[in-house]
Amino acid sequence: MTATADQLIDQLTLEEQVSLLSGEDFWSLPAVPRLGIGKLRVTDGPNGARGSGSLIGGVTAAAFPVGIAIGATWDPALAREIGSAIAEEVRSKGAHVSLAPTVNIHRSVTNGRNFECYSEDPALASALAVGYIRGLQSQGVAATIKHFAGNESEIERTTIDSVIPERALREIYLRPFEAAVKEAGTWAVMSSYNKLNGTYAAENRWLLTTVLRGDWGFDGVVMSDWFGSRTTAPTVNAGLDLEMPGPTRDRGAKLLAAVETGEVARATVRQRALNVLRLMERTGALEDRGSFEERAEDRPAHRALIRRAGAAGCVLLKNEGLLPLPAEPGRLAVIGPNARTARIMGGGSAQLNPHYSVSPWEGLAARLGEARLDYAPGCDNHRWEPLLRTALTAEYFDNTELSGAPVHEEELDEAQAFWVPPIAGGKVTPGAFSARLTGTFTAESSGLHRFGLHSAGYSRLYADGALVVDAWSNWQKGRTFFEEGCDEVTGDLELERGQTVEITIEFAARPGDNLHLSAFRAGIGRPLGDAEISAAAEAARAADTALVFVGRSGEWDTEGSDLEDIALPGRQDELVAAVARANPRTVVVLQTGGPVEMPWAGDVAAILQAWYPGQEAGSAIADVLFGDAEPGGRLPQSFPVRWSDNPTASDDPEVYPGKDGQVRYAEGLFIGYRHYEAKGIAPLYPFGHGLSYSTFALSGLTAETATGGAMARITVENTGPRHGTTVVQLYVAPPEMAERPLKTLEAFAKLDLAPGERREIHLTLPPRAFARFDGDAQGWIIDPGRYRLMAGLSATDIHETMEIEMQAATLPL
């Protein structure tokens, strides 16, 4: 019989207890063979399970919809299904813990990681997080909810101090974490890189012990983000159980010394180790004696779920009767930079090597055949030049001068690498090696070719021996590779069609400033211009319907780099305008990780926001365009008309993007729809908005107080001619008083109804739905008075209202 965590803890020596408090390598904890304790292994999430490979390549895995696409489903039950399926993916990668979900709030519209998070609203984010965690942990795989807390931007994210009033923390930014602990019982929490009100999250005792363990009763593991802990005694004493990744930097011998000098109590080390053992017990790692194996399991059930979930998150923003397309649509012009490229996920630690990916072109062709489709790219939307995909021989040197004989040689199939230890089979020193990569490139057409290169480390690119790109001589840190890399450096070269040039890329590592990694990426592209936009307009003019696929990609929506604005990159706005002038039957399909400005919105017949819906992207989009599936999504984030309307637009850079190492959440509670309503700013598309292929009516809103809160009832009817999906949203407006939002989302329900079907639904409003956090009292207060309940189909589309009287009350933390 396997010993329990409580039985094992006191059998461990102090040294063995300390060994469990830091990683052995990038993805695992050390075993304790003496007691039969195996390795605990973790893997990145949240839209799949990458396994132990780097961010590039590795064993293939299923790519599920990203966080904001799950947020757009407004469907906690579906989130639970996804979590359960991803648990199977985690097991296929030999891991016990998923580093997911990501639940930071959409504070700004330009956060590079918005795609990975659910919503601007804490109630919606909380419900989805609870569903996802319950799904994961029902299969014995631990969730690691992240990033705790105040990581709402990617600018200087490893060092920035997020200054957030406690009331805003409690009511907004901590709320999904609290729900994860109290409702879902999450087994792990990841601390964020940033400081919170002056103290790094990984050593913030108020956050990790007072709130997390004291107020909420958390009994799991708190682990650092990768390289996100910086000290020994302060992190251990604050409540950080696990330093990741390994090998240790601040635990091990340093922690043993801290115990010896009395900086850390033996009882504290014991409790930290017990928390780790408990996590191992919960996930089966204590008794996992099997050999480590990673498998690529392309499951039909996962394919079907990803396709269904992708459609469920698609938001129909506008439709002037053009959608759904008929079964026989005539000729379709398929236009845009995202038409033949599958945009399935964002960038950073969430990315993985998918089993496959379906582009919109492939999804449409599978339904109609290519003979009915005409293609025109129109323009490009890349942030970096298209990746050079060619065979490269990489020679590694255990020095930074490319000198002497190479110590290791390997083959790459593309011009990018993300190196984490062990590098080159462990034959080079991380942070102090160099590499030379050689291959060839053959031009497919004549004209100007643009070569691009960026790197975490120094790099340069030669073509036939001539230096074309120099990212070495004047290297400066920029916004790539988690803020450890330079911005892309480019160089131009005229080439003839069929001309082959020899490519040589030289790289030398440099010590990381905050994260310890080495990486490079090289690409070659052909700039597009006026001729391509004109050709796209002509294709649209000749077609019955024009489908324009525009947006961004994981190059833009990525961890480690905020967006500079929310305009569509490149000349995409010009492209959409030109196509709309040529054909009024134009449908725009957007793929982005958040809002974009749409100066052409009034000129097109339909707009569909498809996000990054996973490996079945093109299939899910085609299902929605032709009405095989409902556009089931509703906006989880408000879309402003322009960037300057958003809650973090300010004349004070300290509010956003930050100044002198500090970002101040001066807007307090007024983010998202709360901001637009308080300021009287009309959004382009409001929070909760989304059209169905049917119509719905709400009636008969009633409510009565119950168990300190209230129970509301409302009738929903499908008044349209076909089966449809809608989301009933219930907002609560407080009695008039200062510093409270005019209304907040407190309950919702997603329904599928047949034509003419009526259904009464019940929506529970717990006491906290009426409460505010009082910092002086250090508790939740319900102010007495009449609260207004508002039921509708978006934050601005309210159908039914009523008032309910609430008595004064003080609620427990």
Side-chain angles (χ1 to χ4, degrees):
M1 181 177 176
T2 304
T4 66
D6 289 316
Q7 292 168 336
L8 286 169
I9 185 62
D10 291 320
Q11 298 179 44
L12 291 168
T13 65
L14 176 64
E15 289 76 9
E16 288 169 337
Q17 290 178 5
V18 166
S19 75
L20 293 178
L21 304 187
S22 57
E24 180 178 57
D25 53 35
F26 224 73
W27 302 113
S28 69
L29 273 62
V32 185
R34 183 179 69 84
L35 296 174
I37 298 173
K39 286 179 177 288
L40 179 77
R41 295 186 177 89
V42 307
T43 182
D44 259 329
N47 52 288
R50 187 176 61 249
S52 63
S54 78
L55 301 189
I56 298 162
V59 178
T60 61
F64 286 77
V66 300
I68 198 170
I70 296 174
T73 69
W74 288 63
D75 192 340
L78 180 58
R80 180 167 183 153
E81 281 190 76
I82 291 170
S84 181
I86 289 178
E88 295 175 326
E89 288 289 307
V90 171
R91 291 298 190 188
S92 77
K93 300 302 180 285
H96 310 92
V97 178
S98 175
L99 305 180
T102 308
V103 298
N104 297 101
I105 298 295
H106 297 160
R107 175 185 179 236
S108 73
V109 294
T110 49
N111 179 16
R113 217 163 180 176
N114 275 349
F115 78 89
E116 197 175 322
C117 310
Y118 293 133
S119 179
E120 70 184 27
D121 183 80
L124 177 56
S126 297
L128 294 165
V130 168
Y132 185 100
I133 292 167
R134 285 175 173 168
L136 267 174
Q137 296 187 169
S138 70
Q139 305 302 311
V141 169
T144 311
I145 194 167
K146 61 187 185 183
H147 305 86
F148 194 56
N151 179 196
E152 274 72 43
S153 63
E154 293 295 292
I155 297 172
E156 299 180 14
R157 58 149 184 175
T158 55
T159 57
I160 199 81
D161 182 10
S162 297
V163 180
I164 312 176
E166 185 178 3
R167 184 175 173 194
L169 273 170
R170 296 279 193 169
E171 293 189 24
I172 297 176
Y173 299 102
L174 298 185
R175 188 168 167 183
F177 297 97
E178 182 181 7
V181 171
K182 291 182 175 180
E183 298 177 42
T186 187
W187 294 341
V189 172
M190 180 185 289
S191 63
S192 53
Y193 288 116
N194 53 279
K195 297 174 185 174
L196 179 64
N197 294 328
T199 304
Y200 279 110
E203 52 195 63
N204 193 312
R205 183 175 178 81
W206 176 84
L207 183 67
L208 303 186
T209 295
T210 301
V211 174
L212 181 62
R213 296 195 187 276
D215 294 346
W216 301 345
F218 178 65
D219 67 353
V221 163
V222 180
M223 72 179 72
S224 74
D225 206 337
W226 267 226
F227 307 105
S229 62
R230 301 165 180 266
T231 58
T232 303
T235 59
V236 176
N237 290 332
L240 186 77
D241 299 301
L242 179 58
E243 171 205 53
M244 288 299 288
T248 184
R249 300 171 305 285
D250 298 307
R251 302 284 174 99
K254 291 182 180 179
L255 181 50
L256 288 170
V259 173
E260 184 68 24
T261 61
E263 291 181 90
V264 177
R266 283 177 177 260
T268 301
V269 172
R270 180 187 184 277
Q271 184 60 55
R272 301 280 167 267
L274 178 59
N275 292 340
V276 172
L277 288 173
R278 188 180 296 121
L279 178 62
M280 298 178 76
E281 184 176 17
R282 285 168 166 168
T283 60
L286 276 181
E287 55 192 20
D288 187 352
R289 311 284 193 270
S291 59
F292 174 62
E293 179 187 6
E294 293 190 329
R295 303 180 305 277
E297 296 181 350
D298 184 6
R299 302 184 180 209
H302 290 182
R303 289 184 170 213
L305 174 59
I306 292 166
R307 184 168 180 167
R308 175 163 55 90
C314 281
V315 183
L316 187 58
L317 297 175
K318 177 182 179 179
N319 188 21
E320 294 181 347
L322 184 53
L323 295 179
L325 295 173
E328 296 295 330
R331 293 208 66 79
L332 297 181
V334 183
I335 294 167
N338 286 0
R340 278 190 162 173
T341 302
R343 305 297 192 192
I344 68 171
M345 57 189 166
S349 60
Q351 69 191 50
L352 50 76
N353 185 18
H355 294 313
Y356 61 89
S357 59
V358 181
S359 71
W361 173 271
E362 291 167 328
L364 293 167
R367 183 186 183 87
L368 299 172
E370 290 193 0
R372 299 190 189 187
L373 309 178
D374 297 312
Y375 169 69
C379 66
D380 56 49
N381 65 354
H382 56 67
R383 180 178 175 185
W384 308 310
E385 294 304 317
L387 178 65
L388 171 59
R389 300 184 187 276
T390 188
L392 294 164
T393 299
E395 298 175 317
Y396 293 86
F397 305 83
D398 195 22
N399 56 70
T400 57
E401 291 79 39
L402 298 148
S403 63
V407 297
H408 181 74
E409 184 175 304
E410 65 185 18
E411 300 297 317
L412 305 180
D413 57 11
E414 58 189 19
Q416 65 174 340
F418 189 90
W419 289 297
V420 297
I423 303 169
K427 296 177 182 177
V428 301
T429 304
F433 73 96
S434 54
R436 180 180 290 114
L437 303 96
T438 56
T440 61
F441 170 74
T442 301
E444 295 182 356
S445 58
S446 298
L448 183 73
H449 286 67
R450 183 156 293 152
F451 293 68
L453 182 64
H454 62 276
S455 54
Y458 309 108
S459 61
R460 52 198 171 209
L461 184 151
Y462 299 86
D464 284 343
L467 181 63
V468 179
V469 184
D470 186 354
W472 189 305
S473 302
N474 298 300
W475 188 95
Q476 291 184 339
K477 187 190 290 189
R479 300 186 304 126
T480 66
F481 295 121
F482 310 108
E483 295 186 309
E484 294 289 341
C486 64
D487 290 332
E488 186 180 49
V489 181
T490 61
D492 294 343
L493 191 65
E494 290 282 349
L495 296 175
E496 297 297 322
R497 180 181 179 183
Q499 181 181 352
T500 298
V501 293
E502 182 177 285
I503 301 297
T504 301
I505 300 167
E506 294 181 342
F507 175 89
R510 64 182 295 276
D513 292 320
N514 291 290
L515 307 178
H516 305 289
L517 58 92
S518 297
F520 86 95
R521 182 190 184 282
I524 304 175
R526 284 290 317 278
L528 303 182
D530 294 345
E532 285 76 14
I533 291 180
S534 296
E538 286 304 311
R541 187 172 289 109
D544 293 285
T545 302
L547 305 178
V548 189
F549 294 89
V550 291
R552 299 193 295 254
S553 68
E555 295 177 2
W556 298 99
D557 290 303
T558 182
E559 179 181 356
S561 176
D562 273 13
L563 297 159
E564 295 184 311
D565 55 46
I566 57 169
L568 284 174
R571 301 182 65 182
Q572 293 182 96
D573 283 335
E574 293 178 63
L575 173 64
V576 174
V579 170
R581 286 193 298 269
N583 188 336
R585 291 175 55 84
T586 291
V587 178
V588 174
V589 179
L590 287 166
Q591 286 198 263
T592 64
V596 291
E597 295 171 355
M598 303 181 209
W600 35 261
D603 302 323
V604 300
I607 305 170
L608 181 70
Q609 171 58 265
W611 317 106
Y612 304 127
Q615 64 192 30
E616 287 281 350
S619 301
I621 290 168
D623 288 346
V624 172
L625 290 176
F626 283 90
D628 297 338
E630 266 276 287
R634 302 297 182 266
L635 285 183
Q637 185 179 20
S638 308
F639 276 39
V641 174
R642 58 191 67 84
W643 178 87
S644 57
D645 290 343
N646 99 88
T648 57
S650 172
D651 293 332
D652 183 356
E654 192 174 272
V655 173
Y656 184 85
K659 182 182 179 183
D660 299 329
Q662 179 173 286
V663 59
R664 181 167 49 88
Y665 289 43
E667 72 284 351
L669 303 176
F670 294 89
I671 64 164
Y673 63 91
R674 308 165 182 223
H675 158 82
Y676 297 103
E677 191 163 48
K679 298 291 185 182
I681 300 172
L684 178 62
Y685 295 108
F687 174 79
H689 171 73
L691 303 175
S692 168
Y693 288 148
S694 193
T695 55
F696 297 87
L698 307 182
S699 61
L701 175 64
T702 62
E704 57 188 24
T705 57
T707 61
M711 174 66 74
R713 295 176 176 81
I714 191 167
T715 298
V716 189
E717 181 181 4
N718 182 342
T719 56
R722 56 178 287 159
H723 186 279
T725 299
T726 193
V727 177
V728 179
Q729 301 159 40
L730 186 60
Y731 296 84
V732 175
E736 287 191 15
M737 63 178 297
E739 295 304 310
R740 289 195 77 166
L742 297 178
K743 65 173 182 282
T744 56
L745 177 75
E746 297 298 344
F748 61 90
K750 189 168 189 177
L751 297 91
D752 294 302
L753 298 177
E757 183 180 358
R758 291 167 56 90
R759 189 182 305 169
E760 183 182 79
I761 61 170
H762 297 188
L763 296 169
T764 300
L765 293 168
R768 281 272 292 271
F770 302 93
R772 60 179 174 84
F773 185 79
D774 188 304
D776 294 332
Q778 282 295 290
W780 294 89
I781 305 297
I782 297 179
D783 296 303
R786 297 191 67 78
Y787 288 75
R788 195 176 186 200
L789 306 186
M790 293 173 280
L793 302 181
S794 81
T796 62
D797 184 17
I798 301 300
H799 290 219
E800 291 276 304
T801 65
M802 66 160 294
E803 290 187 345
I804 188 170
E805 186 79 25
M806 300 297 295
Q807 303 301 313
T810 300
L811 310 177
L813 284 172

